[in-house]
Amino acid sequence: MLNRHPMIRRAALGLAPALLVATGLTAAAIPPAAADPEPRCSIGSCDDDDGGSEAESGDGSVTIFVWGSGTTGGGEGYEIPGESVTVLPPCRYFNTTWSGKQYYDMVQSGEWVGGRDEDGNPIPPYPGYEAYKDDTEGRWWSGMCSSADYDGPIEDFIEFSNDWFDNEFEPLYVEPGEPVPVPPIPPEVLVQVAYDAMTLPDPQIGWNPRREGDGATFVNLPTWMWLEDGPVTLEVHAEAGANEARVEATMTSMNFSASNAAPVSCDGHGVAWTSGATSDCALTFTRSSAHLPGGITNVLAESEWAIEWFANGVPEGPLDPQTTSATFGLPIAEVQTIVTR
């Protein structure tokens, strides 16, 4: 049984064959294809320069370019190498597998049924289909929209898909060697790609006091903690066609805890110890680690990151924050003193 969202009925039936999935429900207006005794035509690795579909698979996948940059606690900038990511956009073309001749024969024989529009009128055949009536190499590409591939409210998806079918989509005939049609990729899709591509680093921690040789700190002395010169801001861009999304992550705080010290939470990434500096980011250990396995105390360091995103340079608000963590072993030594009177 087919289910249709009432607001997207026209999008599903307005141009056939079209397929639309909304809130997990499927609506289809795809007539049965004629038997295809010919080999499937591979349009061949014809990636469009702006990020093309995987023509051979016929699934409408689109390649998105992702790159980024960051700054360290020392203020130095660095680049994150670019890479290509393949995704299924919410509205896309798909290969019907019909050659020009097959489609022409279906229309002429009455086997092709295009459905009806909002007003109940029959949907006409693809424009210009007669021009390909003798062609057996190319393939017709039609359109579909799927809310499963749209990261946003269903109302926004409906608006986006209706706009695509109304203003951008038309069935296309693609000859072997020609670029596969590439639909627009909305920022809501790009931001998810950028967010998924952002790898936040585990914190690398410095501390003081730090005894030469074994790196030990000491009982009952505040031990400063800070992030070594690692990333404190990151941004990742995802771009396809005319749209770009940018995700920015900023380290907002660090937390430290250990079994024999009161936990501490610090704004920012801490302050590296220097003579005369001040910091409230310190653990005070109450017992040495000599009795523990390996002679060390395990310290948990967590870094918290606030994340925002931008669509074509316009701020769009926060995304879910992230936390990274690392555990490191710290020797805790005692300082022996002699008291005299």
Side-chain angles (χ1 to χ4, degrees):
M1 178 177 180
L2 299 182
N3 298 279
R4 295 188 179 96
H5 193 295
M7 297 180 66
I8 54 180
R9 179 176 181 275
R10 184 182 54 78
L13 299 180
L15 285 166
L19 173 68
L20 192 144
V21 181
T23 59
L25 305 180
T26 302
I30 302 180
D36 185 7
E38 308 162 7
R40 290 287 190 269
C41 170
S42 171
I43 304 177
S45 305
C46 305
D47 288 345
D48 186 84
D49 289 341
D50 292 330
S53 302
E54 295 285 344
E56 189 171 359
S57 68
D59 65 355
S61 299
V62 172
T63 300
I64 295 173
F65 186 64
V66 181
W67 76 99
S69 61
T71 59
T72 68
E76 297 181 0
Y78 64 95
E79 298 298 318
I80 300 173
E83 63 176 348
S84 294
V85 177
T86 300
V87 301
L88 285 172
C91 290
R92 53 189 180 265
Y93 288 92
F94 70 94
N95 188 344
T96 68
T97 75
W98 295 327
S99 69
K101 183 179 186 307
Q102 287 175 318
Y103 183 73
Y104 178 84
D105 290 345
M106 280 194 296
V107 173
Q108 296 303 308
S109 67
E111 294 180 9
W112 186 83
V113 181
R116 295 182 178 274
D117 63 17
E118 284 180 314
D119 300 321
N121 300 314
I123 301 296
Y126 295 161
Y129 77 98
E130 298 95 338
Y132 308 102
K133 65 179 182 179
D134 298 320
D135 189 278
T136 60
E137 298 298 321
R139 290 295 184 269
W140 279 105
W141 286 66
S142 191
M144 61 173 289
C145 292
S146 170
S147 63
D149 301 308
Y150 188 92
D151 188 24
I154 187 63
E155 294 80 6
D156 292 351
F157 164 72
I158 294 169
E159 180 180 355
F160 176 81
S161 60
N162 282 342
D163 179 73
W164 187 69
F165 275 107
D166 283 345
N167 302 313
E168 312 225 12
F169 168 74
E170 62 178 25
L172 297 175
Y173 195 72
V174 180
E175 300 280 7
E178 289 184 350
V180 173
V182 179
I185 310 300
E188 289 79 6
V189 172
L190 296 176
V191 66
Q192 189 62 51
V193 173
Y195 186 86
D196 292 344
M198 175 173 283
T199 301
L200 299 176
D202 293 337
Q204 303 297 314
I205 305 304
W207 63 89
N208 190 78
R210 187 167 186 157
R211 186 168 65 186
E212 186 175 352
D214 62 359
T217 186
F218 301 98
V219 172
N220 293 327
L221 284 178
T223 300
W224 284 29
M225 301 283 178
W226 66 88
L227 179 75
E228 292 281 30
D229 196 23
V232 294
T233 66
L234 290 169
E235 65 176 49
V236 174
H237 304 251
E239 181 180 31
N243 287 328
E244 177 190 334
R246 182 175 82 251
V247 175
E248 294 186 355
T250 303
M251 182 184 290
T252 56
S253 63
M254 298 195 71
N255 305 310
F256 297 96
S257 59
S259 60
N260 58 347
V264 62
S265 181
C266 326
D267 291 335
H269 51 89
V271 178
W273 184 89
T274 57
S275 180
T278 60
S279 174
D280 59 358
C281 194
L283 289 177
T284 300
F285 298 95
T286 59
R287 188 176 180 185
S288 84
S289 59
H291 65 293
L292 297 175
I296 59 172
T297 291
N298 288 323
V299 179
L300 174 64
E302 298 177 308
S303 57
E304 297 181 352
W305 298 77
I307 303 178
E308 297 182 291
W309 82 282
F310 301 78
N312 296 319
V314 178
E316 296 290 341
L319 298 174
D320 291 340
Q322 291 193 27
T323 300
T324 61
S325 62
T327 299
F328 63 99
L330 185 58
I332 313 297
E334 291 181 331
V335 176
Q336 303 298 323
T337 60
I338 299 175
V339 177
T340 62
R341 292 188 179 181

